[in-house]
Amino acid sequence: MGFISIIVTTLIVPVVVRLLIATLNKDMNAYANKVAAPPACPVIGWGCYALTAILLVVQLVKETGMAVRLITIAAAVLAVLFLTITYSLKIEYDKKGFTVRKFFIKKQYKYEDIDSVIIKSLNGYTIRINGRKTMVDSIMSGKTDFLYFADKQFTAHTGFSIPVEEPRLFNGNIINPYEMLFAILILPIIMTGFTIFIITNCIESEIPTSLEPHELVVTSTRREPFKTWLETQDGSIVLLDVPNKDDVLNELSQGKAMTMYIEPWTETKTKTISNVWAMTDENGESIFTLEDTYEALIKFNRNTTLLVVALAILLWILFFFAYYIMSHADEHPILVKLIVKKDSLA
């Protein structure tokens, strides 16, 4: 269960920390005349970056367990998350105008350049400036004071308040937004369900109690990526990736009778199959033991789980990336054309 806990922690830590910071900074103004990430963000981001670097060096110097590798991945994810939040947006303003900095791009605007504002949930909003959108996330400090000040200055110059737009999926950039949302969301959801199934069924493995000794002669072998089939006079047997697998196959190729401890035979439409857990030669000497097979099974399940979890995380990253690009199509015209057809854009 410890391994499952580490995986779950790796998946939910970024979300939990982000929601926690957003809650702590709700309706708070950490800065004067500025909108920026909360002061905790760069501290957490660079701290996780340093932790990732230290753990990577430790892994280069000596062998570490799976827990250390997963903590390294979690720290790296947190570092990317919080450093992105820190440097993705900064707005500085006074009575003359305001400056918007997105990473390394800096632009200055007047308050009358504002076209409209789109109010989002969780106190976030998007400002449309000269036809281009700037998203002010709910996690940003000082966002409420800036919007109030900007509306006051806008009114002083134009005689009316900043127009408010209704929030729309993908900011109205997609003709059929719900169909598009379903299209980009279906794979991550399916993969998440498959990941939960794999974690539930693969992690907790145990040696079966119903093993039966059979004296069998292997007539042929067939290798597959994750297992090897042994054809015998009674049926087909699955050999897992035990540490001395090549030596085992060499012994079997000599056509000698071996005592195999296998699970009860299972009948399929085409053949009879079983799994071998231990094997002794004609002299009673052990070729591989129950413990060897159990360790091989644990290793296989662990690697399978890590692969599936990694694919699920990758699909969710691609989902959020695609959603962001389509929501800011005017800012990323080249990238959005790689994701959707031109006739799907509004």
Side-chain angles (χ1 to χ4, degrees):
M1 290 302 293
F3 186 65
I4 296 178
S5 299
I6 292 171
I7 291 179
V8 172
T9 301
T10 303
L11 290 172
I12 68 172
V13 159
V15 178
V16 171
V17 173
R18 188 184 189 285
L19 292 175
L20 177 61
I21 293 181
T23 302
L24 291 175
N25 285 277
K26 188 176 181 180
D27 296 328
M28 292 179 63
N29 186 16
Y31 309 105
N33 298 330
K34 184 169 71 173
V35 178
C41 281
V43 175
I44 297 174
W46 286 112
C48 289
Y49 178 84
L51 177 61
T52 302
I54 292 170
L55 291 176
L56 286 174
V57 171
V58 169
Q59 292 176 66
L60 289 174
V61 173
K62 64 177 183 179
E63 285 232 7
T64 57
M66 183 58 61
V68 175
R69 290 195 287 271
L70 286 171
I71 292 172
T72 304
I73 295 172
V77 170
L78 287 171
V80 171
L81 173 68
F82 283 101
L83 290 177
T84 299
I85 292 171
T86 300
Y87 298 104
S88 62
L89 179 68
K90 180 185 289 186
I91 301 175
E92 295 177 312
Y93 59 94
D94 55 27
K95 291 183 178 181
K96 296 179 181 179
F98 60 99
T99 301
V100 178
R101 181 189 292 274
K102 297 179 180 179
F103 293 104
F104 304 108
I105 300 174
K106 182 178 179 181
K107 292 185 179 181
Q108 291 184 324
Y109 299 101
K110 297 178 180 179
Y111 291 103
E112 53 265 38
D113 293 331
I114 298 176
D115 299 321
S116 61
V117 61
I118 306 169
I119 306 298
K120 303 292 183 66
S121 60
L122 296 176
N123 287 335
Y125 55 85
T126 297
I127 299 180
R128 191 188 297 273
I129 310 169
N130 291 337
R132 301 178 71 85
K133 296 173 183 175
T134 296
M135 185 176 69
V136 181
D137 196 85
S138 59
I139 202 172
M140 293 295 175
S141 292
K143 58 188 179 296
T144 304
D145 285 354
F146 168 68
L147 185 59
Y148 174 80
F149 187 86
D151 185 60
K152 184 177 178 180
Q153 296 300 316
F154 182 89
T155 303
H157 286 86
T158 63
F160 55 89
S161 296
I162 299 174
V164 178
E165 294 184 37
E166 290 294 325
R168 293 179 293 171
L169 194 60
F170 299 112
N171 289 330
N173 293 326
I174 305 299
I175 294 176
N176 296 308
Y178 292 102
E179 291 181 10
M180 181 60 67
L181 181 64
F182 176 80
I184 64 175
L185 193 57
I186 186 66
L187 277 179
I189 289 177
I190 291 174
M191 196 64 193
T192 300
F194 182 64
T195 301
I196 294 172
F197 172 80
I198 290 294
I199 291 175
T200 303
N201 289 274
C202 284
I203 296 299
E204 302 299 330
S205 302
E206 56 184 18
I207 299 174
T209 57
S210 56
L211 297 177
E212 303 170 351
H214 289 261
E215 192 170 287
L216 301 170
V217 176
V218 175
T219 56
S220 64
T221 61
R222 187 177 78 257
R223 286 179 180 258
E224 292 183 358
F226 302 110
K227 58 188 175 183
T228 300
W229 289 95
L230 308 178
E231 300 297 335
T232 72
Q233 72 272 22
D234 291 349
S236 300
I237 296 175
V238 175
L239 173 67
L240 289 173
D241 192 17
V242 292
N244 55 341
K245 186 175 182 177
D246 291 334
D247 294 336
V248 172
L249 294 176
N250 185 52
E251 288 278 348
L252 297 176
S253 65
Q254 300 177 21
K256 299 177 183 178
M258 302 290 180
T259 301
M260 303 185 189
Y261 294 84
I262 64 175
E263 297 176 21
W265 293 105
T266 301
E267 297 288 341
T268 68
K269 292 182 179 180
T270 57
K271 56 186 175 183
T272 304
I273 61 174
S274 182
N275 297 312
V276 59
W277 279 79
M279 189 182 298
T280 58
D281 62 17
E282 55 189 356
N283 299 318
E285 295 183 4
S286 176
I287 298 177
F288 64 89
T289 65
L290 294 173
E291 289 72 20
D292 293 332
T293 304
Y294 181 73
E295 289 179 7
L297 181 62
I298 290 296
K299 180 181 178 181
F300 172 77
N301 287 345
R302 183 180 64 229
N303 292 339
T304 301
T305 302
L306 285 175
L307 177 61
V308 172
V309 169
L311 288 175
I313 293 174
L314 176 62
L315 285 175
W316 279 111
I317 290 173
L318 291 175
F319 164 76
F320 287 113
F321 173 78
Y323 188 92
Y324 177 84
I325 293 299
M326 286 186 282
S327 298
H328 301 80
D330 54 340
E331 298 179 18
H332 307 282
I334 297 176
L335 289 176
V336 77
K337 290 178 182 177
L338 297 176
I339 300 173
V340 297
K341 295 179 180 179
K342 189 176 180 180
D343 55 7
S344 297
L345 295 172

